[in-house]
Amino acid sequence: MSIYRLSIFAFLLIAVAFASCDAKNPYDTGPAYDFAGNLTKDSLLIVKYLETAEIDSLYRIHTANGVVVIVQEEGIGSRPNSGNIIYTKYIGSLMSDGSVFDTNIEQVAIDNDIYDETRKYDLFRFILNSQGQERALEGWNIAFSRLRSGSKAKLIIPSPYGYQNSETQPKIPANSILIFDIEFKGMD
């Protein structure tokens, strides 16, 4: 009988140990983001989009990263270096349906029902290749380093260089390819 009691005690001890374990591991963030897989998928979608999109341009830059820079007006300034402060106007839209999700141009925000009366619609500024508070999407770092100050361009940003699979932006579905119409206004 003592082996029976010992077995029950051991079973209860193991059950209590497992029951007290946290079922939700805070370090388990799910599967790793498939950067290469999403980049490959997005690259195919971008090629298909560019085959039918009617976009006026002087020239196009297809970076090794998959970011596409369509230069519509060449600037006369120099190209920025890492650490330069960039000033720009922009309109951000989804490649999938063309809906505008963000802009720093007040009238565009009003026209697309995304106007926020608490927001200041001024030039957007960011530090090229910054890791701090004044940073931009990695796709912007890649694209703006190819542009001259004063340029107007359309940037096509694959999801790995945009918001990836983040769901923090309510108007941007996870793994969205982004298009930005930008005016590179200057730099410091």
Side-chain angles (χ1 to χ4, degrees):
M1 191 77 169
S2 76
I3 292 180
Y4 178 72
R5 284 186 177 171
L6 188 58
S7 297
I8 291 176
F9 178 75
F11 173 77
L12 290 174
L13 185 61
I14 291 171
V16 167
F18 278 111
S20 66
C21 288
D22 185 5
K24 179 105 171 108
N25 180 348
Y27 301 106
D28 181 15
T29 58
Y33 180 73
D34 185 6
F35 191 95
N38 282 307
L39 188 57
T40 299
K41 177 183 67 104
D42 288 358
S43 295
L44 295 172
L45 292 170
I46 290 169
V47 166
K48 187 175 179 180
Y49 171 79
L50 289 173
E51 287 173 355
T52 59
E54 295 182 19
I55 304 170
D56 290 335
S57 65
L58 297 175
Y59 59 93
R60 295 178 180 190
I61 302 167
H62 294 262
T63 71
N65 310 78
V67 173
V68 179
V69 181
I70 302 171
V71 178
Q72 297 173 307
E73 189 175 307
E74 183 75 71
I76 56 171
S78 60
R79 288 187 177 88
N81 295 309
S82 185
N84 280 129
I85 300 172
I86 307 295
Y87 300 93
T88 186
K89 287 185 176 184
Y90 69 90
I91 301 168
S93 59
L94 300 176
M95 190 183 84
S96 60
D97 65 6
S99 62
V100 174
F101 61 82
D102 191 19
T103 183
N104 65 341
I105 304 168
E106 187 172 9
Q107 191 58 53
V108 173
I110 292 167
D111 293 346
N112 288 279
D113 294 325
I114 58 170
Y115 178 74
D116 178 356
E117 62 188 28
T118 64
R119 180 178 176 177
K120 220 174 168 184
Y121 288 89
D122 287 334
L123 288 177
F124 179 71
R125 72 177 248 162
F126 70 97
I127 300 172
L128 191 68
N129 296 319
S130 172
Q131 299 300 314
Q133 290 181 337
E134 292 189 60
R135 69 185 207 115
L137 294 174
E138 186 56 30
W140 276 36
N141 286 318
I142 294 165
F144 273 88
S145 67
R146 308 296 199 289
L147 292 169
R148 293 185 181 282
S149 181
S151 295
K152 290 183 181 180
K154 188 175 290 281
L155 315 178
I156 303 176
I157 312 291
S159 63
Y161 294 106
Y163 291 103
Q164 298 185 354
N165 59 355
S166 172
E167 295 179 355
T168 59
Q169 305 293 328
K171 295 192 177 286
I172 305 173
N175 298 310
S176 290
I177 300 169
L178 310 175
I179 296 179
F180 290 94
D181 290 290
I182 63 96
E183 289 183 48
F184 186 172
K185 301 304 266 183
M187 64 181 169
D188 290 332

